[in-house]
Amino acid sequence: MEISEHEAAKEAARSAKALMDMANQSHPCREDIAQFRYWQATARTFTCHTCLRVRDQAAARLPALANVFYDAASPKIQPWYPEFKGGECRPGHVPTAEGTLRQQRVVASFDLHVGRPRSYRQLLSLHAPEPHCRVLVARSISDPQEELPVTGKLAYTPSPNGEVFEWQEGDLYWHHICTTPGARVLPGPLDRWLINGLRRFGLDKAERTTYRREAEMLRDWIEAGGLEQDQT
């Protein structure tokens, strides 16, 4: 579930393309919020994809939104996601590969309502494959020296995992593409079997509802001028 920071940096551009391909599959997004699910053979689990469409937005808001998410582990709260319980952004140890604008290591914790918060230790990289598109790749990395919150339990995000931000014809799109083999509720492979079973048989309503609520709160935050406030 974890790879080295060097390996994550090398595969970042490939992961960004995979995320872009998933985002393109969902267009045109006829609904303001739509959800999709894909089987990922390499990760041996499902990818959950939530697409948000925010209407009548200026193109300049796209890079601003991508920057907010790039640094989303550093503020005390995320206005669009109250389950966020804190984190930290740290400089990377390895150089960026071709196609990556910038990258950093992040640790972030979230209350998934399964007991202790779950903490993610990732390499986060920013990409701009097209003028009106930004992609964030978040990949779990191994780093024995990276301290985790004492209250958190380590969870994982293999590839493809991250965010795609697009501006098209006056509308701003956010694609939240999450690949996780579970929340470490059960030990070892049992956790993967549990979450795969729930997703396969459509019993993952709680998970899908969480992603949808996050999209709704992000939309409300953007429409209330949250991006402009963040830039001041």
Side-chain angles (χ1 to χ4, degrees):
M1 291 294 98
E2 293 181 314
I3 58 178
S4 71
E5 184 179 343
H6 178 72
E7 291 171 318
K10 285 180 61 178
E11 76 165 32
R14 184 169 67 253
S15 296
K17 183 180 183 306
L19 294 171
M20 271 291 297
D21 289 343
M22 291 183 192
N24 289 335
Q25 288 176 21
S26 71
H27 287 315
C29 190
R30 296 180 178 86
E31 304 174 17
D32 286 350
I33 299 177
Q35 293 184 301
F36 311 90
R37 182 169 54 207
Y38 320 98
W39 173 254
Q40 294 293 338
T42 54
R44 292 179 294 139
T45 191
F46 289 91
T47 292
C48 298
H49 175 182
T50 302
C51 173
L52 167 68
R53 177 183 185 180
V54 187
R55 300 175 185 269
D56 302 322
Q57 298 295 310
R61 291 183 176 178
L62 183 138
L65 181 60
N67 289 334
V68 166
F69 270 76
Y70 183 76
D71 292 320
S74 56
K76 292 183 179 179
I77 63 169
Q78 293 177 359
W80 63 90
Y81 196 44
E83 283 78 5
F84 174 69
K85 297 303 175 185
E88 186 176 354
C89 299
R90 300 168 181 174
H93 291 146
V94 301
T96 58
E98 184 178 357
T100 300
L101 297 180
R102 50 193 169 118
Q103 67 189 22
Q104 61 183 345
R105 295 176 298 130
V106 300
V107 174
S109 296
F110 303 88
D111 182 4
L112 304 182
H113 309 292
V114 289
R116 291 165 57 189
R118 270 29 180 191
S119 299
Y120 296 86
R121 179 173 54 198
Q122 302 165 319
L123 181 70
L124 187 65
S125 57
L126 178 64
H127 308 256
E130 298 175 4
H132 291 120
C133 177
R134 298 291 186 274
V135 181
L136 281 179
V137 176
R139 179 61 166 95
S140 284
I141 57 173
S142 57
D143 188 347
Q145 298 180 346
E146 193 83 64
E147 295 184 4
L148 296 173
V150 293
T151 57
K153 188 174 184 180
L154 187 62
Y156 307 104
T157 52
S159 298
N161 183 83
E163 328 284 338
V164 178
F165 308 94
E166 296 181 281
W167 184 85
Q168 294 186 11
E169 299 178 352
D171 295 338
L172 187 62
Y173 291 85
W174 171 62
H175 299 266
H176 179 56
I177 300 172
C178 183
T179 302
T180 175
R184 297 196 64 189
V185 176
L186 298 177
L190 293 176
D191 198 50
R192 187 195 301 268
W193 294 340
L194 171 64
I195 193 65
N196 282 350
L198 293 174
R199 290 169 178 166
R200 186 179 298 276
F201 295 105
L203 302 175
D204 56 341
K205 181 178 179 180
E207 181 182 27
R208 287 182 282 113
T209 298
T210 295
Y211 294 140
R212 186 177 187 88
R213 187 164 61 89
E214 181 181 2
E216 291 170 344
M217 294 185 69
L218 178 61
R219 176 199 60 202
D220 294 346
W221 180 73
I222 293 173
E223 291 181 341
L227 285 173
E228 287 76 5
Q229 295 172 14
D230 187 80
Q231 300 303 303
T232 59

